[in-house]
Amino acid sequence: MSEPNSQYNPQFSEQVTNPVVGEGNVIYNYYYYRQETQPSKQPETDDESLPCPYKGLFHFEPEDAEFFFGRDLFIEELYRATNTRNLIPVLGASGSGKSSVVLAGLVPKLQQQGQWQFTHFRPSNDPFYAICLALIPLYAPSLNQTERISQARELASRLRQGKIVLSDVIKQIQHHHPNEKILLIADQFEEIYTLCWDADIRRDFVNQLISIFQNDQSFSQVVLVLTMRADFLDNALSDPLFADQLRTADLKIRSMNREELSEVIEKPANKLGVTLEQGLVER
């Protein structure tokens, strides 16, 4: 069986960041997707070293947590859910902050708790390879970066062919980390419908992934948080197994109210000792 193209959308540049979220903790396989743009000329300021705390259209990362405001209630809801569920779908409109609330809200909060491992993937056009890249650092921790890529390709091929299943991989990861919980972040899960055109692979992947977290206490130490645009809910509901989980388990992220929006504007600037002109926030 030939290996499908496993590259991500070329309009994005990929930078492997593995951002530190605490001493000794990283999000494995985390890529920061930044759209390629020409940097604009910045106006001269009194302090050219002063960073901009606002992200524009890009999501917040764990290292941006100190500047991430306006989502305290939803972060707390997510945090509580990790204590009672091991599948947490986060649904919301495009641009509503789904990725930010997980990466810059939930992950730093769990890191403070300790005893968590974090890994991340986006389905892309080859979801089995994407998730294997995320799981390999936990599945075979002694491998170097080149060996991880090779092992991920082999593991993905065996998963596609049905020689092993994802639950086998998760069991091995739990064996390596018996005293830690695993947070698996499936970001922008709608890519399973927009980029993976093989219906059989898509169906098999979703069923294998979701079935791991369906009433099986043997995987209670692994939590899957997936973010997905709400306009792809119909696609997800067409899969009975996925639909059953979404019916009772999803968390919907709403638009921010005026108080939360004010925090988003004011508090990052205040962190840097910058004040805003009176009336500007209200406007």
Side-chain angles (χ1 to χ4, degrees):
M1 187 176 194
S2 61
E3 188 78 18
N5 179 8
S6 58
Q7 298 299 312
Y8 289 90
N9 193 327
Q11 72 171 322
F12 291 92
S13 60
E14 297 181 5
Q15 179 183 1
V16 182
T17 60
N18 276 350
V20 175
V21 295
E23 187 174 350
N25 293 88
V26 298
I27 302 182
Y28 291 111
N29 196 52
Y30 172 65
Y31 294 82
Y32 186 33
Y33 296 80
R34 180 179 293 278
Q35 197 166 12
E36 294 178 349
T37 57
Q38 293 296 323
S40 58
K41 184 177 180 181
Q42 298 295 321
E44 294 184 2
T45 63
D46 293 335
D47 185 356
E48 293 182 357
S49 66
L50 195 67
C52 177
Y54 305 107
K55 300 291 287 186
L57 295 177
F58 303 117
H59 66 254
F60 284 78
E61 303 179 82
E63 60 190 18
D64 304 314
E66 65 175 317
F67 298 115
F68 185 61
F69 294 99
R71 289 297 189 187
D72 290 347
L73 291 177
F74 195 78
I75 292 170
E76 184 61 30
E77 186 176 1
L78 269 177
Y79 177 73
R80 289 198 305 268
T82 62
N83 294 318
T84 58
R85 310 180 193 174
N86 57 356
L87 173 60
I88 309 171
V90 178
L91 306 182
S94 177
S96 59
K98 301 179 295 297
S99 298
S100 296
V101 80
V102 173
L103 293 167
L106 177 62
V107 168
K109 191 174 181 68
L110 291 177
Q111 191 278 327
Q112 292 174 4
Q113 178 182 325
Q115 294 185 317
W116 280 86
Q117 293 281 341
F118 309 95
T119 192
H120 171 281
F121 77 99
R122 286 171 52 168
S124 76
N125 63 340
D126 188 351
F128 280 114
Y129 178 62
I131 196 172
C132 285
L133 276 178
L135 296 178
I136 281 294
L138 300 168
Y139 176 74
S142 63
L143 300 181
N144 63 37
Q145 189 63 39
T146 302
E147 291 168 335
R148 287 177 181 178
I149 294 173
S150 176
Q151 184 68 44
R153 289 192 180 279
E154 180 181 350
L155 187 59
S157 178
R158 291 177 180 272
L159 287 169
R160 286 190 219 98
Q161 295 169 14
K163 294 182 178 179
I164 58 175
V165 292
L166 272 174
S167 59
D168 295 331
V169 179
I170 299 297
K171 286 178 182 177
Q172 184 65 26
I173 289 173
Q174 289 184 308
H175 175 74
H176 287 310
H177 301 275
N179 300 316
E180 295 178 298
K181 297 187 74 172
I182 310 295
L183 185 73
L184 174 60
I185 302 167
D187 200 13
Q188 301 194 34
F189 200 72
E190 67 273 4
E191 287 185 354
I192 196 72
Y193 307 109
T194 62
L195 297 181
C196 180
W197 294 103
D198 189 317
D200 291 334
I201 287 180
R202 181 171 61 240
R203 187 182 310 108
D204 187 30
F205 175 80
V206 171
N207 287 341
Q208 283 200 45
L209 182 64
I210 300 303
S211 64
I212 293 172
F213 305 97
Q214 189 181 40
N215 301 322
D216 191 339
Q217 292 304 309
S218 62
F219 298 107
S220 61
Q221 294 301 102
V222 181
V223 177
L224 169 66
V225 174
L226 66 87
T227 69
M228 188 177 73
R229 280 169 43 187
D231 49 319
F232 284 89
L233 183 57
D234 284 348
N235 300 75
L237 292 176
S238 67
D239 186 298
L241 189 62
F242 198 6
D244 285 343
Q245 295 298 311
L246 289 171
R247 185 170 54 86
T248 58
D250 69 295
L251 298 180
K252 297 179 179 66
I253 187 168
R254 59 166 172 77
S255 298
M256 286 182 280
N257 58 35
R258 291 183 63 86
E259 181 181 351
E260 291 166 335
L261 286 171
S262 295
E263 287 186 6
V264 169
I265 299 169
E266 290 179 301
K267 289 191 174 181
N270 293 342
K271 275 275 187 179
L272 298 174
V274 175
T275 57
L276 301 173
E277 183 179 351
Q278 186 175 3
L280 179 60
V281 175
E282 288 76 9
R283 182 175 180 180

